[in-house]
């Protein structure tokens, strides 16, 4: 008799439910987040278990990796796409886990992509860089705002880097302000050092990726954006068409229309925010340094809003990168923007 397992994963515990072909509950219990404990609970059903469903939460790495290494067939449930059960007045974690197993049994489970464990570390390191860059921007803006209030002058980032302890004391009037500026500069130097270190690691890791040397042939894409696009996209065979990839990059508009009338929009946040950022950044630089792309942007801008024109360039770049990585060919401006 075949059986199916669903796991409702939380921060410190998980609810495991095992059902049979008739949806009868064979096992149901809340367990602490420990692989040994979960393996013990699953062992009696291992020979007949058709799959284990884990809901895609922020902390799924350890559980999915552990189950896969132990030989279980694991499915990562795509939470936003899960069909909701109706008619129930009381829903709890046990119902959620049982519902996941039920959808797996029916073959209706929407699944997410389980990114390969070996490549996940570099991708997460790039995400950490993105976080540090945001912190750096926040520190710089705060420091510039403070100095503008005190001196009436706004110092650029290169001038901030050149400030010495003596220069700070000559610039601001009170010791407390000197301490505030000095602490901000210390944090800024630390952040820049860590960002530079991460970038070196990413460049070194990128040399082993076949598409890493192709992406910088696109105007506006440098080593960091190339690494972000390559690692966030993953295996492109998971996208049925280039349109699916563009939608995953959030480069496709959302519009609900009925009887020729616009009824709103939805799912604008579905997709990968890091790929969306990467292609918008690439579009900014491509417009600045690529004459052909700038001409395309200007034509679009003349007919619509500048942000829509920028998004159109990002969409074109996303489609171009998809075809480049699939065919392992360099960028062709005439095919992308012709």
């Amino acid at each position: 008799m075949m059986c199916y397992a669903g796991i409702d994963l939380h921060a410190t515990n998980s609810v495991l439910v095992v059902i049979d072909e008739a949806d009868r509950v064979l096992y149901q219990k809340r367990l602490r987040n420990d692989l040994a404990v979960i393996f013990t609970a699953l062992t009696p059903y291992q020979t007949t278990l058709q799959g284990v469903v884990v809901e895609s939460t922020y902390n799924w790495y350890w559980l999915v990796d552990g189950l896969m290494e132990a030989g279980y067939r694991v499915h990562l449930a795509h939470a936003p796409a899960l069909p909701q059960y109706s008619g129930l007045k009381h829903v709890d974690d046990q119902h959620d886990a049982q519902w996941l197993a039920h959808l797996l049994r029916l073959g209706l489970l929407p699944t997410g992509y389980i990114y390969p464990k070996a490549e996940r570390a570099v991708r997460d390191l790039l995400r950490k860089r993105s976080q540090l860059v945001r912190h750096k921007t926040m520190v710089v803006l705060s420091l510039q705002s403070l100095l503008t209030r005190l001196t009436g002058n706004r110092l650029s980032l290169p001038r901030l880097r050149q400030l010495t302890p003596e220069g700070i004391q000559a610039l601001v009037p009170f010791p407390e302000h000197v301490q505030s500026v000095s602490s901000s500069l210390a944090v800024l130097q630390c952040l820049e050092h860590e960002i530079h270190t991460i970038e070196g690691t990413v460049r070194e890791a990128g040399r082993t990726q076949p598409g890493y040397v192709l992406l910088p042939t696109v105007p506006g894409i440098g080593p960091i954006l190339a690494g972000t696009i390559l690692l966030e996209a993953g295996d492109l065979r998971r996208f049925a068409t280039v349109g699916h990839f563009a939608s995953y990059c959030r480069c496709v508009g959302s519009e609900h229309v009925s009887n020729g009338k616009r009824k709103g929009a939805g799912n604008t946040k579905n997709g990968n925010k890091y790929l969306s950022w990467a292609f918008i950044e690439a579009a900014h630089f491509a417009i600045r340094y690529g004459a052909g792309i700038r001409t395309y942007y200007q034509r679009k801008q003349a007919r619509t809003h500048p942000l829509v024109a920028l998004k159109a360039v990002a969409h074109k770049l996303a489609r171009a990168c998809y075809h480049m990585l699939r065919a392992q060919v360099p960028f062709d401006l005439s095919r992308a923007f012709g």
Side-chain angles (χ1 to χ4, degrees), residues 24-289:
R24 289 187 293 263
V25 176
L26 305 177
Y27 182 91
Q28 177 177 288
K29 191 173 181 180
R30 186 181 297 274
L31 307 169
R32 72 175 187 272
N33 282 348
D34 186 303
L35 278 176
V37 174
I38 295 174
F39 287 161
T40 301
L42 287 174
T43 298
Y45 312 98
Q46 188 169 8
T47 56
T48 58
L49 198 59
Q50 300 302 299
V52 182
V53 185
V54 179
E55 190 173 0
S56 177
T57 56
Y58 75 97
N59 60 331
W60 62 264
Y61 284 8
W62 67 275
L63 181 56
V64 169
D65 292 340
L67 289 170
M68 292 178 67
E69 290 168 2
Y72 290 96
R73 186 180 179 187
V74 183
H75 306 268
L76 189 65
H78 181 35
L82 284 173
Q84 298 299 312
Y85 37 78
S86 59
L88 298 179
K89 291 188 176 180
H90 176 77
V91 178
D92 55 17
D93 296 335
Q94 285 75 18
H95 283 93
D96 290 341
Q98 186 176 347
W99 181 248
L100 293 174
H102 173 72
L103 292 175
L104 177 62
R105 183 183 71 81
L106 296 179
L108 299 176
L109 181 73
T111 57
Y113 177 61
I114 300 178
Y115 203 96
K117 182 179 179 180
E119 302 170 13
R120 203 184 298 151
V122 182
R123 183 197 65 172
D124 289 349
L125 186 62
L126 263 175
R127 291 181 175 182
K128 173 55 67 175
R129 176 196 174 273
S130 176
Q131 181 189 46
L132 294 180
V133 169
R134 289 196 299 271
H135 283 304
K136 172 189 169 182
T137 302
M138 181 181 66
V139 171
V140 170
L141 292 177
S142 175
L143 185 54
Q144 288 177 331
S145 176
L146 174 62
L147 292 175
T148 301
R149 287 198 305 271
L150 296 175
T151 67
N153 296 316
R154 185 178 183 276
L155 299 184
S156 63
L157 180 56
R159 290 186 62 188
L160 289 176
R161 292 194 185 105
Q162 295 171 1
L163 284 177
T164 62
E166 295 78 14
I168 297 172
Q169 291 178 356
L171 196 62
V172 295
F174 298 106
E176 292 80 5
H177 290 149
V178 172
Q179 184 177 0
S180 178
V181 173
S182 300
S183 63
S184 295
L185 287 175
V187 172
L188 178 61
Q189 291 172 0
C190 178
L191 288 171
E192 289 186 332
H193 175 267
E194 294 303 319
I195 291 169
H196 180 73
T197 303
I198 291 175
E199 290 175 351
T201 303
V202 170
R203 288 191 180 95
E204 189 65 29
R207 294 176 182 176
T208 62
Q209 302 289 333
Y212 189 72
V213 296
L214 292 175
L215 289 174
T217 63
V218 180
I221 295 181
I224 299 303
L225 289 182
T228 301
I229 293 168
L230 194 64
L231 292 168
E232 292 293 343
D235 186 0
L236 290 178
R237 291 174 295 181
R238 64 192 177 111
F239 301 104
T241 65
V242 64
H244 287 83
F245 177 70
S247 177
Y248 183 65
C249 299
R250 297 184 181 178
C251 292
V252 177
S254 175
E255 189 175 44
H256 295 172
V257 178
S258 177
N259 194 29
K261 297 180 181 179
R262 190 174 186 273
K263 300 297 183 179
N267 296 330
T268 56
K269 296 299 183 181
N270 276 5
N272 189 303
K273 65 179 182 180
Y274 301 98
L275 280 173
S276 174
W277 166 82
F279 283 115
I280 289 295
E281 284 289 301
H284 277 293
F285 287 109
I287 293 167
R288 186 183 304 175
Y289 299 111

Side-chain angles (χ1 to χ4, degrees), residues 290-332:
I293 299 176
R294 182 165 58 250
T295 301
Y296 172 85
Y297 169 77
Q298 290 170 344
R299 289 202 308 268
K300 282 283 186 180
Q301 186 186 22
R303 299 193 301 267
T304 186
H305 194 277
L307 289 178
V308 176
L310 179 68
K311 199 76 171 185
V313 174
H315 185 194
K316 288 277 191 180
L317 293 178
R319 296 176 69 91
C321 289
Y322 173 87
H323 291 298
M324 289 168 56
L325 293 174
R326 285 293 297 264
Q328 289 295 297
V329 295
F331 178 73
D332 186 341

